[in-house]
């Protein structure tokens, strides 16, 4: 495996980050998780734009232009001959000293890993998954805005641990007021009376790229797709529910906090969006091998 590290492709064994890097010392950095399908990188420009926005929000100046970042991702995928895989693009504040001051970190570190991906078990894609609400709340936007895809994922990791201890794969996270935000690495949607609804990002959710794609697919099919504040009651009484994310893609949720959702099977609109999303991933995206 070849890893992109600060402008060079190096062997996996050589791809090392300093213990003085503020990414490791403080989680000071931003990242993106992308996918390639059928030799194309899905929504590459959208991911780079979000990375640039995350970096801007934390005042991290990435030493590469948008075009250079795009080229670096493509080169890394090509160097590893990945046709269907996962790409992790990370920019940290860089090497500094043992203090928070980012002025001590003159050069950000940039690395890109292109690898295979492990999914939830196939059975869950067929039959839907169960999730539970966990005690850990999503970060409040006033502290660390969940729109920033930062290297601080402890909030989500604690929620994930709570889900696993609860015997399920995924956690529903609420904001400090108790409204539904998202899961640990996925956005959440419900279908109610034929309308697709997801919480607005200001509630405390990432502006997911798969989320945008799901809403676009819905609208193309004449299904209303709206952003609305949701409570757990809205989820329990929904006709359908599903999660979206680059890693998870689109997966149906059939049980939440022991309540069966809809019929207890993946819903009609969910299945339609899943199918068309699959089609989109296979036929669009930036071609790597041209
Ligand atoms: N919410 C959060 C908190 C995320 O981290 C999403 C929603 C979905 O966004 P996209 O743009 O991917 O549709 C994410 C991103 C993993 C993993 O390995 C998943 C994400 C990030 C990091 C790791 O499961 N999902």
């Amino acid at each position: 495996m070849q890893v992109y590290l600060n402008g060079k492709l190096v062997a996996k064994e050589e791809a090392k980050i300093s213990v003085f890097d503020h990414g490791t010392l403080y989680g000071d950095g931003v990242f993106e998780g992308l996918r390639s399908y059928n030799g194309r990188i899905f929504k590459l420009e959208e991911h780079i734009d979000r990375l640039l926005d995350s970096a801007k929000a934390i005042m991290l100046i990435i030493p590469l232009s948008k075009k250079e970042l795009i080229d670096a991702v493509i080169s890394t995928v090509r160097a590893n001959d990945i046709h269907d895989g996962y790409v992790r693009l990370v920019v940290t504040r860089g090497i500094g000293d043992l203090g928070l001051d980012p002025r001590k970190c003159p050069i950000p570190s940039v690395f890109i890993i292109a690898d295979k991906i492990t999914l939830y078990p196939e059975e869950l894609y067929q039959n839907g998954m169960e999730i539970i609400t966990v005690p850990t709340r999503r970060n409040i936007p006033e502290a660390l805005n969940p729109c920033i895809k930062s290297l601080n994922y402890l909030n989500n990791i604690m929620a994930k641990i709570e889900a696993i201890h609860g015997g399920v794969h995924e956690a529903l996270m609420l904001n400090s007021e108790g409204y539904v935000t998202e899961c640990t690495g996925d956005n959440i949607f419900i279908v109610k009376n034929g309308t697709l609804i997801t919480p607005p990002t200001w509630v405390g959710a990432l502006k997911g790229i798969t989320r945008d794609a799901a809403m676009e697919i819905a609208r193309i099919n004449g299904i209303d797709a709206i952003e609305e504040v949701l409570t757990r009651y809205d989820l329990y009484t929904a006709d359908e529910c599903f999660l979206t994310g680059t890693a998870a893609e689109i997966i149906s949720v059939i049980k939440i906090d022991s309540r069966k959702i809809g019929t207890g099977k993946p819903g009609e609109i969910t299945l339609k969006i899943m199918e068309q999303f699959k089609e989109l991933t296979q036929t669009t995206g930036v071609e790597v091998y041209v």
Side-chain angles (χ1 to χ4, degrees), residues 186-248:
D186 319 283
N187 291 107
I188 190 160
F189 282 87
I190 60 165
V191 176
K192 186 72 177 175
N193 299 327
T195 299
L196 190 62
I197 315 171
T198 192
T201 56
W202 60 258
V203 169
L206 185 75
K207 193 175 181 328
I209 287 161
T210 323
R211 173 186 184 270
D212 285 348
M215 291 209 274
E216 197 183 320
I217 292 168
R219 287 173 185 147
I220 289 168
N221 284 276
I223 299 162
D224 274 340
I226 61 171
E227 295 185 0
E228 214 166 74
V229 174
L230 296 172
T231 63
R232 287 201 293 160
Y233 168 82
D234 297 320
L235 266 50
Y236 299 156
T237 57
D239 301 324
E240 303 181 26
C241 178
F242 63 84
L243 310 181
T244 64
T246 298

Side-chain angles (χ1 to χ4, degrees), residues 36-132:
S36 75
Y37 295 92
N38 197 20
R40 296 157 174 259
I41 302 169
F42 187 61
K43 303 272 183 192
L44 176 55
E45 195 171 339
E46 287 83 347
H47 281 282
I48 300 297
D49 283 341
R50 189 170 64 186
L51 182 85
L52 292 170
D53 285 347
S54 294
K56 188 164 191 190
I58 69 162
M59 293 202 233
L60 170 60
I61 297 164
I62 300 180
L64 281 82
S65 67
K66 179 172 167 179
K67 169 137 197 333
E68 287 168 334
L69 285 165
I70 287 174
D71 289 345
V73 170
I74 295 171
S75 314
T76 311
V77 171
R78 195 183 289 141
N80 290 283
D81 197 29
I82 299 263
H83 289 255
D84 293 274
Y86 191 66
V87 179
R88 179 60 56 90
L89 165 56
V90 183
V91 185
T92 76
R93 190 76 65 179
I95 297 168
D97 63 15
L98 296 178
L100 294 176
D101 190 346
R103 290 174 302 182
K104 301 284 173 57
C105 312
I107 308 164
S109 307
V110 182
F111 61 89
I112 306 170
I113 310 165
D115 203 353
K116 298 272 179 246
I117 182 158
T118 45
L119 296 172
Y120 293 123
E122 178 56 30
E123 184 267 328
L124 294 179
Y125 285 90
Q126 297 290 331
N127 303 322
M129 74 188 302
E130 178 178 357
I131 63 174
I132 56 170

Side-chain angles (χ1 to χ4, degrees), residues 6-21:
N6 298 326
K8 292 196 200 90
L9 284 164
V10 299
K12 182 181 175 179
E13 296 70 27
E14 307 303 320
K16 291 178 182 154
I17 282 276
S18 167
V19 293
F20 290 97
D21 193 301

